[in-house]
């Protein structure tokens, strides 16, 4: 159970920011014994790989805080974030524990699939919320929300690794947030359609 929660927590973090959980897992695996990478994933603790991830993270943090540009970045990240979720779910000691079961050993793709699906769900929520926030705040909210998301990704990564039971609470809060965001997004789209209906093109 704890193993699955660790994987789900890291995948959730990847849905918010693809590079933060990869860096957290890689750095901790490199300098501590808190994370043990299974065979095939030791490359994640290589300092050269971590340096590349750090550069990508800096670029992501800048682009994601610019209104309109953040939506383009989200479109690009539709592939990157789910892939990151699959990697971090599979590349932790938690995934290794999961694979101690005969079913997981025979189906190594399952860890990847779980991580991809979780990260994709969070990414979809983030992508749906950002245009609503930008429109509602005239773009001022973009850097604030982006900073909160980055902090959330970092915090979720640490919680997933060191206090995985708390991932349950985080996922419940995320479910409530998803419900609220989807309601706001539907209302926002309805208002836009109504506005276009009242002002037809000449």
């Amino acid at each position: 159970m704890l193993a699955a929660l660790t994987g789900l927590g890291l995948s959730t973090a990847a849905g918010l920011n693809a590079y933060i959980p990869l860096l957290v897992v890689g750095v901790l695996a490199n300098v501590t014994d808190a994370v043990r990478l299974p065979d095939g994933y030791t490359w994640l603790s290589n300092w050269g790989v971590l340096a590349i991830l750090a550069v990508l993270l800096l670029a992501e943090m800048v682009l994601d805080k610019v209104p309109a540009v953040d939506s383009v970045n989200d479109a690009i990240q539709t592939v990157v974030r789910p892939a990151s979720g699959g990697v971090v779910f599979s590349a932790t000691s938690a995934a290794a524990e999961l694979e101690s079961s005969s079913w997981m050993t025979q189906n190594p793709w399952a860890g990847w699939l779980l991580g991809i699906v979780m990260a994709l769900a969070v990414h979809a929520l983030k992508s749906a919320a950002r245009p609503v926030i930008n429109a509602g705040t005239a773009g001022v909210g973009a850097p604030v929300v982006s900073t909160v998301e980055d902090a959330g990704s970092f915090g979720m990564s640490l919680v997933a690794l060191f206090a995985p039971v708390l991932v349950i609470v985080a996922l419940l809060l995320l479910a409530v947030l998803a419900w609220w965001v989807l309601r706001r997004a539907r209302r926002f789209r309805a208002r836009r359609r109504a506005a276009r209906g009242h002002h037809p093109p000449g």
Side-chain angles (χ1 to χ4, degrees), residues 41 61 67 117 122 143:
Y41 291 95
M61 292 177 71
V117 169
V122 176

Side-chain angles (χ1 to χ4, degrees), residues 99-144:
E99 290 168 4
S100 65
S101 70
S102 59
W103 190 87
M104 289 294 290
T105 301
Q106 296 166 10
N107 300 274
W109 52 268
W112 273 86
L113 181 60
L114 288 170
I116 288 171
V117 169
M118 192 66 203
L120 183 59
V122 176
H123 165 73
L125 173 63
K126 171 183 164 71
S127 299
R130 190 56 68 84
V132 178
I133 293 169
N134 287 345
T137 64
V140 175
V144 176

Side-chain angles (χ1 to χ4, degrees), residues 42-191:
T42 54
W43 55 270
L44 188 54
S45 63
N46 179 277
W47 283 118
V49 172
L50 294 174
I52 293 172
L53 290 173
V55 172
L56 292 173
L57 172 60
L58 289 175
E60 158 85 356
M61 292 177 71
V62 172
L63 294 174
D64 198 49
K65 291 172 177 58
V66 181
V69 176
D70 58 352
S71 294
V72 176
N73 181 57
D74 279 340
I76 296 171
Q77 294 292 324
T78 299
V79 175
V80 180
R81 289 171 187 153
S84 172
V87 170
V88 291
F89 194 105
S90 301
T92 61
S93 59
E97 291 173 27
L98 276 177
E99 290 168 4
S100 65
S101 70
S102 59
W103 190 87
M104 289 294 290
T105 301
Q106 296 166 10
N107 300 274
W109 52 268
W112 273 86
L113 181 60
L114 288 170
I116 288 171
V117 169
M118 192 66 203
L120 183 59
V122 176
H123 165 73
L125 173 63
K126 171 183 164 71
S127 299
R130 190 56 68 84
V132 178
I133 293 169
N134 287 345
T137 64
V140 175
V144 176
V145 173
S146 177
T147 301
V148 171
E149 290 169 350
D150 293 341
S153 180
F154 181 69
M156 177 64 87
S157 298
L158 295 180
V159 166
L161 290 170
F162 297 109
V165 173
L166 296 180
V167 171
I168 297 175
V169 177
L171 292 179
L172 289 174
L173 292 174
L174 184 63
V176 173
L177 178 62
W179 173 79
W180 181 82
V181 166
L182 292 176
R183 283 189 60 193
R184 294 296 296 267
R186 282 197 294 266
R187 291 177 181 175
F188 175 70
R189 294 189 187 103
R191 286 196 297 268

